[in-house]
Every structure is written in C-alpha cells, then in structure tokens.
C-alpha cells in the first residue's frame, strides 16, 4: 500500500467508480482537496479523499502535487 498525501492542483479531477475509461464518474476532486493514493496502477490509481473518505479511481496524471 502506498500512503502518499496529495492535493488536486487542477480545477477538478474525475473520480471513477471502477478503474476503467468506460466507468461511471461517481464524484470529483476539486482544486485544493487532499487525498491519499491507496494503490497505484499503470492507468488508474485508487484513492481516498481526506474530506469525506470517498474511495474511487483517478486517471494517472500530472495534476497532482504532494503537500
């Protein structure tokens, strides 16, 4: 398990229900929101948000910054 703390540095990041491009978008992380990466994959990472402990998948991208 990876326990890195990050925050969103883009206007928003879609949070998917499953690690698939065809998956439903269950929520979004907004600019400045903090989250942890639970499991890092090649295309998607499983994360949990700090604010409400929502768990989902984000596309691996450059829009993340450590804090």
């Amino acid at each position: 398990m990876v326990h890195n703390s990050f925050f969103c540095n883009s206007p928003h990041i879609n949070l998917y229900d499953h690690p698939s491009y065809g998956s439903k978008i269950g929520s979004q992380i907004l600019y400045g929101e903090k989250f942890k990466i639970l499991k890092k994959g090649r295309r998607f990472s499983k994360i949990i948000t700090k604010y409400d402990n929502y768990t989902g998948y984000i596309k691996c991208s450059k829009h993340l910054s450590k804090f």
Side-chain angles (χ1 to χ4, degrees):
M1 259 190 178
V2 180
H3 288 290
N4 294 326
S5 296
F6 292 88
F7 73 93
C8 175
N9 66 4
S10 68
H12 72 276
I13 298 173
N14 291 329
L15 197 52
Y16 295 88
D17 290 341
H18 302 283
S20 163
Y21 291 109
S23 177
K24 179 183 156 203
I25 296 171
S27 187
Q28 290 184 328
I29 303 171
L30 302 178
Y31 180 83
E33 283 192 62
K34 298 173 184 174
F35 61 93
K36 284 191 175 189
I37 294 178
L38 300 175
K39 184 178 179 186
K40 191 167 177 134
R42 276 190 4 183
R43 294 190 178 139
F44 288 86
S45 293
K46 185 175 184 178
I47 64 108
I48 187 166
T49 61
K50 290 267 198 183
Y51 175 71
D52 59 359
N53 290 324
Y54 190 89
T55 303
Y57 295 86
I58 59 171
K59 293 179 186 175
C60 293
S61 69
K62 299 175 187 169
H63 303 294
L64 316 176
S65 295
K66 287 188 177 183
F67 70 90

